[in-house]
Amino acid sequence: MLKNFKSQKDVTELEFVEHLLEVLTVGGIGVVVVPMSCAIGTKFKDVRERLMKKNTLKAVFSMPDDIFYPTGTNVCVMVWEAHTPHDSQLETFFGYCKDDGFVKRKKLGRIDALGKWEKIEKEWLKLYRNRDVVDGLSARHCVKYEDEWLCEAYMQTDYTQLTQDDFQSTINDYLAYLVKSGDIYEN
């Protein structure tokens, strides 16, 4: 079914996406989990260009940094429409899904210990289905193959969530960095 299928050592993750989309019917939806590096405009330009010539990038979701805890792979989820060339004049939806409410627990991994997931999941799904733009959570942007495909590049920051404690913590971290690096003693 997958012609010229190679091992992951020989093929980038986006080439696997290309193979997936090839086997889908026209208008079929492919959803893939890939490393965030696949969504950065400076990498894999030739594959990204081929993907968009044949398929439409409908959405990209930046996932929690520790979603595959204990491994350290940062990932995003891409939603593609197969065999429909990407129109860079139409907006792609971007979701910033970094906080899923899960916490790490020794010997259990990531769990919904605080019972936040159900509410967060409903909010994420509503944003995606309605293509709503909410500061700090989502964005829509027209993109080409050479552009960033991550929400972080396009969303507005919601500064209303910042507190005095956040500010103080950042100042403390910076001062600790200066002391540790020895830069605090220079003019």
Side-chain angles (χ1 to χ4, degrees):
M1 193 181 324
L2 292 178
K3 53 189 175 205
N4 300 325
F5 194 72
K6 302 175 184 176
S7 74
Q8 192 167 359
K9 291 178 184 175
D10 301 320
V11 182
T12 68
E13 287 85 352
L14 286 178
E15 287 174 305
F16 281 100
V17 173
E18 222 175 2
H19 288 299
L20 164 73
L21 295 171
E22 283 176 11
V23 300
L24 293 177
T25 60
V26 174
I29 300 296
V31 179
V32 294
V33 177
V34 294
M36 283 190 134
S37 60
C38 292
I40 297 172
T42 58
K43 293 190 160 205
F44 316 116
K45 283 188 179 182
D46 56 332
V47 184
R48 290 162 55 100
E49 183 175 20
R50 286 194 318 259
L51 275 166
M52 284 192 153
K53 278 185 178 179
K54 295 181 182 177
N55 310 282
T56 297
L57 182 61
K58 303 292 280 180
V60 180
F61 303 91
S62 301
M63 302 308 291
D65 294 339
D66 58 358
I67 196 164
F68 290 116
Y69 174 80
T71 64
T73 304
N74 292 336
V75 299
C76 62
V77 174
M78 294 181 180
V79 179
W80 291 91
E81 181 178 341
H83 309 292
T84 305
H86 185 82
D87 182 347
S88 62
Q89 301 300 308
L90 297 177
E91 293 178 321
T92 298
F93 180 83
F94 296 93
Y96 188 72
C97 306
K98 290 291 190 172
D99 182 10
D100 61 4
F102 283 65
V103 293
K104 292 181 269 187
R105 292 289 191 254
K106 200 172 193 174
K107 298 184 182 180
L108 295 175
R110 297 178 76 248
I111 62 170
D112 185 20
L114 307 174
K116 293 181 175 184
W117 170 242
E118 188 176 329
K119 180 180 177 192
I120 292 170
E121 178 188 32
K122 284 180 183 176
E123 180 180 20
W124 285 357
L125 289 172
K126 181 180 177 217
L127 289 174
Y128 172 62
R129 287 180 180 137
N130 295 327
R131 296 177 50 84
D132 290 337
V133 173
V134 175
D135 290 353
L137 291 177
S138 60
R140 288 190 319 258
H141 197 77
C142 296
V143 293
K144 298 176 183 169
Y145 76 91
E146 67 266 17
D147 293 328
E148 292 285 324
W149 295 348
L150 293 169
C151 192
E152 293 87 329
Y154 307 111
M155 74 176 175
Q156 297 294 316
T157 304
D158 180 6
Y159 293 108
T160 64
Q161 302 299 315
L162 292 177
T163 66
Q164 182 64 32
D165 290 340
D166 294 326
F167 177 75
Q168 188 63 55
S169 176
T170 301
I171 295 297
N172 292 349
D173 290 345
Y174 180 64
L175 288 173
Y177 162 78
L178 290 176
V179 169
K180 185 175 181 182
S181 66
D183 290 345
I184 199 164
Y185 301 112
E186 295 179 9
N187 289 342

